Amino acid sequence: MSSTMLEAMPAERLVNELQSFGVRLEAPDAGVASRQGGAGPTDHKAMTIDGMTVMVPVHTAASLRSPYVVGLPDAQGRSRIVRDGAVVAEISFPETPKFYALQTADGIPYSKIAVLHGRDVLATTVLQSCVRYTSREKTCQFCALGQSLAAGRTIERKTPAQLAEVARAAVALDGVKHMVMTTGTPPGKDRGAAILAESAAEVKAAVDLPIQVQCEPPEDDAWFGRLRHAGADALGMHLEAVTPEVRARIMPGKAQVSLARYSAAFEAAVPVFGRGQVSTYILAGLGDTAAAILEMCEKLIGLGVYPFVVPFVPVSGTPLENHPAPSADFMHRILQPLARMLGQAGLHAADGKAGCGKCGACSALSSYERARQ
Ligand code: SF4
């Protein structure tokens, strides 16, 4: 990043702006192919700005109108971001990972089993189907879980052996540093913990790679010990929205697991995984006020839970595709005080062993944390 840009706009504000507006690409094929559909950052592209790799929307309706334009890359793969004719930053795109060129013995490309997120995270959706995804009434309105499956870009069920094979290759060839295993919610009381436990165990047996598992709170807290024992280093249980009204409107199925159950699950999980190793994903921009999000974050931090607040991105093909993304100002009003609260509590993204908070690419939160430090 040029010093001119740093003087003009602090890095955390720029990341915040880019994630809010998205960018237009002069060379759509630069960098790692962006994903459309699926869990996690979709309709995004990974870009490295000032040493930070962040996910920036590139396929959303808003990004097509963005004032930020990423120019053609030079011979070294560096591009410039321009706004109103002025260069605001230099960026580079992470290279396509080498493990994408491989396939299993039975012919499944590794990239259908797990993908690179951010700079050094191997991410997979172990089960690409969900009890919450069966009807328009029950589905989480922001979710695109079925799209990548329908488009043939992934397979529905990744076996523990397949995950272990891909993880070993991604560590050896591309130096990935941690792994995120999420899952659609299967029927049953464990809410996905069982398949995550067997997957974590097999990956851990194959390669020394810190793993975060992500699922809804299982009915029985004993699953936290089982997941930890299986090799999971960190746990994500994602609230998505923080007030009952917004949860009921945006995710009517998932909202059947109450905020009280989430809170009890966090209390039970933190002693098992450790302070700061349990986290939650909060999507800002779905209707919760900044004050409501910060109030929830304060409670979570008090429990030792890292609240990863991310700007909602309207994904094409979902019921919320025309819902506006939150403004950069709205995110700033959350992320700046949140970074202060985290700092005061001694919880830092960088101290996570694995997972979204540690990766940080989907939010400017870790940039705000770094700016404070
Ligand atoms: S923050 Fe989580 S979902 Fe976003 S790129 Fe990183 S690992 Fe993937």
PDB file of all heavy atoms in Angstrom, residues 39-41 55 117-118 121-123 178 180 212 214 281 308 310 355-357 359-363, ligand 1:
ATOM      1  N   ALA A  39     -21.227 -22.123   1.557  1.00  0.00           N
ATOM      2  CA  ALA A  39     -21.154 -21.480   2.860  1.00  0.00           C
ATOM      3  C   ALA A  39     -19.902 -20.615   2.905  1.00  0.00           C
ATOM      4  O   ALA A  39     -18.988 -20.790   2.109  1.00  0.00           O
ATOM      5  CB  ALA A  39     -21.107 -22.547   3.948  1.00  0.00           C
ATOM      6  N   GLY A  40     -19.866 -19.659   3.823  1.00  0.00           N
ATOM      7  CA  GLY A  40     -18.676 -18.824   3.953  1.00  0.00           C
ATOM      8  C   GLY A  40     -18.692 -17.715   2.927  1.00  0.00           C
ATOM      9  O   GLY A  40     -19.728 -17.334   2.399  1.00  0.00           O
ATOM     10  N   PRO A  41     -17.505 -17.151   2.627  1.00  0.00           N
ATOM     11  CA  PRO A  41     -17.459 -15.971   1.777  1.00  0.00           C
ATOM     12  C   PRO A  41     -17.735 -16.342   0.329  1.00  0.00           C
ATOM     13  O   PRO A  41     -16.942 -16.995  -0.315  1.00  0.00           O
ATOM     14  CB  PRO A  41     -16.017 -15.481   1.942  1.00  0.00           C
ATOM     15  CG  PRO A  41     -15.247 -16.704   2.260  1.00  0.00           C
ATOM     16  CD  PRO A  41     -16.183 -17.647   2.962  1.00  0.00           C
ATOM     17  N   MET A  55     -11.395 -10.640   2.135  1.00  0.00           N
ATOM     18  CA  MET A  55     -12.360 -11.055   1.126  1.00  0.00           C
ATOM     19  C   MET A  55     -13.190  -9.831   0.754  1.00  0.00           C
ATOM     20  O   MET A  55     -13.773  -9.176   1.626  1.00  0.00           O
ATOM     21  CB  MET A  55     -13.276 -12.162   1.667  1.00  0.00           C
ATOM     22  CG  MET A  55     -12.555 -13.414   2.161  1.00  0.00           C
ATOM     23  SD  MET A  55     -11.503 -14.238   0.947  1.00  0.00           S
ATOM     24  CE  MET A  55     -12.710 -14.875  -0.205  1.00  0.00           C
ATOM     25  N   HIS A 117      -9.354 -20.364   1.748  1.00  0.00           N
ATOM     26  CA  HIS A 117      -9.988 -19.107   2.158  1.00  0.00           C
ATOM     27  C   HIS A 117      -8.901 -18.149   2.626  1.00  0.00           C
ATOM     28  O   HIS A 117      -7.911 -18.581   3.226  1.00  0.00           O
ATOM     29  CB  HIS A 117     -10.937 -19.340   3.348  1.00  0.00           C
ATOM     30  CG  HIS A 117     -12.315 -19.796   2.956  1.00  0.00           C
ATOM     31  ND1 HIS A 117     -13.396 -19.680   3.791  1.00  0.00           N
ATOM     32  CD2 HIS A 117     -12.775 -20.361   1.810  1.00  0.00           C
ATOM     33  CE1 HIS A 117     -14.477 -20.148   3.177  1.00  0.00           C
ATOM     34  NE2 HIS A 117     -14.125 -20.581   1.991  1.00  0.00           N
ATOM     35  N   GLY A 118      -9.135 -16.847   2.367  1.00  0.00           N
ATOM     36  CA  GLY A 118      -8.146 -15.885   2.806  1.00  0.00           C
ATOM     37  C   GLY A 118      -6.796 -16.243   2.215  1.00  0.00           C
ATOM     38  O   GLY A 118      -6.668 -16.611   1.041  1.00  0.00           O
ATOM     39  N   VAL A 121      -5.981 -20.491   4.874  1.00  0.00           N
ATOM     40  CA  VAL A 121      -6.986 -21.299   5.565  1.00  0.00           C
ATOM     41  C   VAL A 121      -7.572 -22.310   4.590  1.00  0.00           C
ATOM     42  O   VAL A 121      -7.972 -21.961   3.482  1.00  0.00           O
ATOM     43  CB  VAL A 121      -8.139 -20.414   6.100  1.00  0.00           C
ATOM     44  CG1 VAL A 121      -9.126 -21.263   6.905  1.00  0.00           C
ATOM     45  CG2 VAL A 121      -7.604 -19.276   6.937  1.00  0.00           C
ATOM     46  N   LEU A 122      -7.615 -23.555   5.036  1.00  0.00           N
ATOM     47  CA  LEU A 122      -8.302 -24.580   4.258  1.00  0.00           C
ATOM     48  C   LEU A 122      -9.724 -24.676   4.814  1.00  0.00           C
ATOM     49  O   LEU A 122      -9.911 -24.848   6.019  1.00  0.00           O
ATOM     50  CB  LEU A 122      -7.575 -25.922   4.414  1.00  0.00           C
ATOM     51  CG  LEU A 122      -8.135 -27.073   3.585  1.00  0.00           C
ATOM     52  CD1 LEU A 122      -7.952 -26.813   2.097  1.00  0.00           C
ATOM     53  CD2 LEU A 122      -7.480 -28.391   3.980  1.00  0.00           C
ATOM     54  N   ALA A 123     -10.703 -24.528   3.943  1.00  0.00           N
ATOM     55  CA  ALA A 123     -12.086 -24.486   4.425  1.00  0.00           C
ATOM     56  C   ALA A 123     -12.930 -25.520   3.711  1.00  0.00           C
ATOM     57  O   ALA A 123     -12.783 -25.737   2.504  1.00  0.00           O
ATOM     58  CB  ALA A 123     -12.679 -23.091   4.195  1.00  0.00           C
ATOM     59  N   HIS A 178      -4.236 -23.229   9.041  1.00  0.00           N
ATOM     60  CA  HIS A 178      -5.327 -23.770   9.861  1.00  0.00           C
ATOM     61  C   HIS A 178      -6.490 -24.162   8.964  1.00  0.00           C
ATOM     62  O   HIS A 178      -6.493 -23.865   7.768  1.00  0.00           O
ATOM     63  CB  HIS A 178      -5.759 -22.835  11.001  1.00  0.00           C
ATOM     64  CG  HIS A 178      -6.072 -21.423  10.647  1.00  0.00           C
ATOM     65  ND1 HIS A 178      -7.264 -20.822  10.946  1.00  0.00           N
ATOM     66  CD2 HIS A 178      -5.339 -20.460  10.040  1.00  0.00           C
ATOM     67  CE1 HIS A 178      -7.259 -19.561  10.549  1.00  0.00           C
ATOM     68  NE2 HIS A 178      -6.094 -19.315   9.995  1.00  0.00           N
ATOM     69  N   VAL A 180     -10.844 -24.703   8.634  1.00  0.00           N
ATOM     70  CA  VAL A 180     -12.198 -24.434   9.104  1.00  0.00           C
ATOM     71  C   VAL A 180     -13.108 -25.507   8.532  1.00  0.00           C
ATOM     72  O   VAL A 180     -13.157 -25.707   7.321  1.00  0.00           O
ATOM     73  CB  VAL A 180     -12.674 -23.038   8.632  1.00  0.00           C
ATOM     74  CG1 VAL A 180     -14.160 -22.849   8.908  1.00  0.00           C
ATOM     75  CG2 VAL A 180     -11.872 -21.938   9.318  1.00  0.00           C
ATOM     76  N   GLN A 212     -10.702 -25.493  13.346  1.00  0.00           N
ATOM     77  CA  GLN A 212     -11.909 -24.963  13.973  1.00  0.00           C
ATOM     78  C   GLN A 212     -13.108 -25.697  13.390  1.00  0.00           C
ATOM     79  O   GLN A 212     -13.223 -25.818  12.163  1.00  0.00           O
ATOM     80  CB  GLN A 212     -12.097 -23.455  13.714  1.00  0.00           C
ATOM     81  CG  GLN A 212     -13.335 -22.898  14.450  1.00  0.00           C
ATOM     82  CD  GLN A 212     -13.890 -21.606  13.849  1.00  0.00           C
ATOM     83  OE1 GLN A 212     -13.933 -21.440  12.633  1.00  0.00           O
ATOM     84  NE2 GLN A 212     -14.294 -20.687  14.713  1.00  0.00           N
ATOM     85  N   GLN A 214     -17.357 -25.788  13.189  1.00  0.00           N
ATOM     86  CA  GLN A 214     -18.472 -24.841  13.309  1.00  0.00           C
ATOM     87  C   GLN A 214     -19.791 -25.584  13.179  1.00  0.00           C
ATOM     88  O   GLN A 214     -20.003 -26.303  12.202  1.00  0.00           O
ATOM     89  CB  GLN A 214     -18.408 -23.795  12.184  1.00  0.00           C
ATOM     90  CG  GLN A 214     -17.091 -23.022  12.122  1.00  0.00           C
ATOM     91  CD  GLN A 214     -17.054 -22.021  10.963  1.00  0.00           C
ATOM     92  OE1 GLN A 214     -17.870 -22.096  10.041  1.00  0.00           O
ATOM     93  NE2 GLN A 214     -16.117 -21.093  11.008  1.00  0.00           N
ATOM     94  N   TYR A 281     -20.139 -15.863  14.818  1.00  0.00           N
ATOM     95  CA  TYR A 281     -20.184 -15.009  13.630  1.00  0.00           C
ATOM     96  C   TYR A 281     -21.439 -14.158  13.764  1.00  0.00           C
ATOM     97  O   TYR A 281     -22.531 -14.676  13.997  1.00  0.00           O
ATOM     98  CB  TYR A 281     -20.344 -15.936  12.422  1.00  0.00           C
ATOM     99  CG  TYR A 281     -19.624 -15.607  11.143  1.00  0.00           C
ATOM    100  CD1 TYR A 281     -18.352 -16.094  10.892  1.00  0.00           C
ATOM    101  CD2 TYR A 281     -20.251 -14.882  10.138  1.00  0.00           C
ATOM    102  CE1 TYR A 281     -17.720 -15.855   9.671  1.00  0.00           C
ATOM    103  CE2 TYR A 281     -19.622 -14.646   8.921  1.00  0.00           C
ATOM    104  CZ  TYR A 281     -18.349 -15.144   8.704  1.00  0.00           C
ATOM    105  OH  TYR A 281     -17.725 -14.927   7.495  1.00  0.00           O
ATOM    106  N   PHE A 308     -17.057 -12.391  16.160  1.00  0.00           N
ATOM    107  CA  PHE A 308     -16.530 -11.998  14.844  1.00  0.00           C
ATOM    108  C   PHE A 308     -17.669 -11.319  14.086  1.00  0.00           C
ATOM    109  O   PHE A 308     -18.563 -11.982  13.560  1.00  0.00           O
ATOM    110  CB  PHE A 308     -16.023 -13.246  14.130  1.00  0.00           C
ATOM    111  CG  PHE A 308     -15.285 -12.967  12.862  1.00  0.00           C
ATOM    112  CD1 PHE A 308     -14.274 -12.016  12.799  1.00  0.00           C
ATOM    113  CD2 PHE A 308     -15.581 -13.687  11.709  1.00  0.00           C
ATOM    114  CE1 PHE A 308     -13.586 -11.767  11.620  1.00  0.00           C
ATOM    115  CE2 PHE A 308     -14.903 -13.457  10.529  1.00  0.00           C
ATOM    116  CZ  PHE A 308     -13.902 -12.490  10.487  1.00  0.00           C
ATOM    117  N   VAL A 310     -19.172  -9.341  11.067  1.00  0.00           N
ATOM    118  CA  VAL A 310     -18.876  -9.335   9.635  1.00  0.00           C
ATOM    119  C   VAL A 310     -19.970  -8.550   8.907  1.00  0.00           C
ATOM    120  O   VAL A 310     -21.140  -8.684   9.260  1.00  0.00           O
ATOM    121  CB  VAL A 310     -18.876 -10.817   9.144  1.00  0.00           C
ATOM    122  CG1 VAL A 310     -18.746 -10.908   7.648  1.00  0.00           C
ATOM    123  CG2 VAL A 310     -17.778 -11.596   9.832  1.00  0.00           C
ATOM    124  N   GLY A 355      -9.564 -20.783  12.737  1.00  0.00           N
ATOM    125  CA  GLY A 355     -10.946 -20.366  12.504  1.00  0.00           C
ATOM    126  C   GLY A 355     -11.093 -18.993  11.901  1.00  0.00           C
ATOM    127  O   GLY A 355     -10.129 -18.317  11.541  1.00  0.00           O
ATOM    128  N   CYS A 356     -12.364 -18.599  11.789  1.00  0.00           N
ATOM    129  CA  CYS A 356     -12.700 -17.358  11.088  1.00  0.00           C
ATOM    130  C   CYS A 356     -12.120 -16.126  11.788  1.00  0.00           C
ATOM    131  O   CYS A 356     -11.625 -15.211  11.128  1.00  0.00           O
ATOM    132  CB  CYS A 356     -14.207 -17.223  10.957  1.00  0.00           C
ATOM    133  SG  CYS A 356     -14.886 -18.371   9.758  1.00  0.00           S
ATOM    134  N   GLY A 357     -12.224 -16.080  13.116  1.00  0.00           N
ATOM    135  CA  GLY A 357     -11.692 -14.911  13.825  1.00  0.00           C
ATOM    136  C   GLY A 357     -10.206 -14.762  13.540  1.00  0.00           C
ATOM    137  O   GLY A 357      -9.706 -13.656  13.295  1.00  0.00           O
ATOM    138  N   CYS A 359      -8.490 -15.971  10.942  1.00  0.00           N
ATOM    139  CA  CYS A 359      -8.321 -15.625   9.518  1.00  0.00           C
ATOM    140  C   CYS A 359      -8.668 -14.157   9.312  1.00  0.00           C
ATOM    141  O   CYS A 359      -7.894 -13.381   8.749  1.00  0.00           O
ATOM    142  CB  CYS A 359      -9.209 -16.522   8.665  1.00  0.00           C
ATOM    143  SG  CYS A 359      -9.466 -15.922   6.996  1.00  0.00           S
ATOM    144  N   GLY A 360      -9.843 -13.792   9.767  1.00  0.00           N
ATOM    145  CA  GLY A 360     -10.248 -12.383   9.770  1.00  0.00           C
ATOM    146  C   GLY A 360     -10.565 -11.785   8.412  1.00  0.00           C
ATOM    147  O   GLY A 360     -10.889 -10.607   8.325  1.00  0.00           O
ATOM    148  N   ALA A 361     -10.508 -12.589   7.344  1.00  0.00           N
ATOM    149  CA  ALA A 361     -10.597 -11.995   6.010  1.00  0.00           C
ATOM    150  C   ALA A 361     -11.985 -11.451   5.667  1.00  0.00           C
ATOM    151  O   ALA A 361     -12.114 -10.637   4.768  1.00  0.00           O
ATOM    152  CB  ALA A 361     -10.169 -13.032   4.954  1.00  0.00           C
ATOM    153  N   CYS A 362     -13.007 -11.904   6.365  1.00  0.00           N
ATOM    154  CA  CYS A 362     -14.363 -11.475   6.004  1.00  0.00           C
ATOM    155  C   CYS A 362     -14.812 -10.208   6.714  1.00  0.00           C
ATOM    156  O   CYS A 362     -15.965  -9.792   6.563  1.00  0.00           O
ATOM    157  CB  CYS A 362     -15.359 -12.604   6.275  1.00  0.00           C
ATOM    158  SG  CYS A 362     -15.257 -13.904   5.036  1.00  0.00           S
ATOM    159  N   SER A 363     -13.937  -9.620   7.519  1.00  0.00           N
ATOM    160  CA  SER A 363     -14.315  -8.416   8.256  1.00  0.00           C
ATOM    161  C   SER A 363     -13.082  -7.539   8.407  1.00  0.00           C
ATOM    162  O   SER A 363     -11.953  -8.027   8.321  1.00  0.00           O
ATOM    163  CB  SER A 363     -14.836  -8.815   9.643  1.00  0.00           C
ATOM    164  OG  SER A 363     -14.968  -7.684  10.472  1.00  0.00           O
TER     165      SER A 363
HETATM  166  S1  SF4 B   1     -13.124 -15.402   7.905  1.00  0.00           S
HETATM  167 FE1  SF4 B   1     -13.885 -17.525   7.854  1.00  0.00          FE
HETATM  168  S2  SF4 B   1     -15.345 -17.603   6.186  1.00  0.00           S
HETATM  169 FE2  SF4 B   1     -14.108 -15.701   5.935  1.00  0.00          FE
HETATM  170  S3  SF4 B   1     -12.391 -16.308   4.566  1.00  0.00           S
HETATM  171 FE3  SF4 B   1     -11.679 -16.558   6.652  1.00  0.00          FE
HETATM  172  S4  SF4 B   1     -12.097 -18.715   7.148  1.00  0.00           S
HETATM  173 FE4  SF4 B   1     -13.332 -18.217   5.358  1.00  0.00          FE
END
